[in-house]
Amino acid sequence: MSAADEILDIVDENDVVVGQSPRAQAYARGLRHRCVFVQARDADGRLFVHRRTATKLVFPSLYDMFVGGVVGVGESYDSAALREAEEELGVSGLPSPVPLFRFLYDDGAGRTWWSAVYEVRCDLPVDPQAEEVAWHTFLTEEEVERRLTEWTWVPDGLAAYERLREHRATGRPLAPPDGGGLHRGTAE
């Protein structure tokens, strides 16, 4: 099955399942679904950063400071976070990613998904999935901050990163200026 044919749960503004749809149709029709974002750090605390392949359905060839992806039909956020992290990092035996918070990503142009943000430490040597990752490295937080204005980042990852910075500073994720993007606390 291709990524475009993968079946996703379609959810409402409260993250309640209201139907199912193939991934390509969900993207084309702007149907809200679920995604996971996992910030992976190595043993030195550096962040895994990568450039997505040109063949990705969404945000091809852009940089990202998270691994992750869509939550499959009937799959939990926690299961998807571990599955996606292991797939994209090319490892097995990763500890369960730690859930931090959820928020509703909505770019106002038909891209909207409930986003669960996690963190995980990866002490294993990575061998990223070639279909997902065109280039990768581990960078310090300071190096990532310097590159925020130099590289073109995936917008949903950038939104998650900004909320994660706020979460670490205050214990709560950043709410967007319009009051949207509800979050669900720190341990869901």
Side-chain angles (χ1 to χ4, degrees), residues 29-67:
R29 296 175 47 208
L31 302 175
R32 187 176 296 117
H33 52 283
R34 294 172 171 161
C35 290
V36 292
F37 296 78
V38 183
Q39 186 178 73
R41 292 181 182 268
D42 68 6
D44 296 323
R46 297 175 302 170
L47 303 175
F48 180 82
V49 175
H50 67 283
R51 188 170 40 83
R52 297 162 62 90
T53 59
T55 57
K56 296 290 285 180
L57 287 174
V58 176
F59 311 132
S61 301
L62 299 184
Y63 288 91
D64 201 347
M65 66 280 284
F66 293 95
V67 294

Side-chain angles (χ1 to χ4, degrees), residues 6-119:
E6 182 180 5
I7 303 298
L8 307 180
D9 282 329
I10 303 305
V11 296
D12 65 13
E13 65 279 358
N14 296 307
D15 199 17
V16 174
V17 176
V18 295
Q20 285 79 36
S21 176
R23 184 177 184 172
Q25 286 183 19
Y27 287 156
R29 296 175 47 208
L31 302 175
R32 187 176 296 117
H33 52 283
R34 294 172 171 161
C35 290
V36 292
F37 296 78
V38 183
Q39 186 178 73
R41 292 181 182 268
D42 68 6
D44 296 323
R46 297 175 302 170
L47 303 175
F48 180 82
V49 175
H50 67 283
R51 188 170 40 83
R52 297 162 62 90
T53 59
T55 57
K56 296 290 285 180
L57 287 174
V58 176
F59 311 132
S61 301
L62 299 184
Y63 288 91
D64 201 347
M65 66 280 284
F66 293 95
V67 294
V70 297
V71 178
V73 68
E75 187 176 29
S76 71
Y77 282 110
D78 290 349
S79 295
L82 179 58
R83 175 184 54 76
E84 287 285 351
E86 287 189 334
E87 284 176 6
E88 285 192 32
L89 293 170
V91 300
S92 59
L94 199 63
S96 294
V98 176
L100 301 174
F101 59 88
R102 282 193 264 169
F103 72 98
L104 179 58
Y105 174 78
D106 190 337
D107 71 357
R111 290 188 175 131
T112 179
W113 38 83
W114 272 99
S115 306
V117 179
Y118 291 78
E119 62 185 357

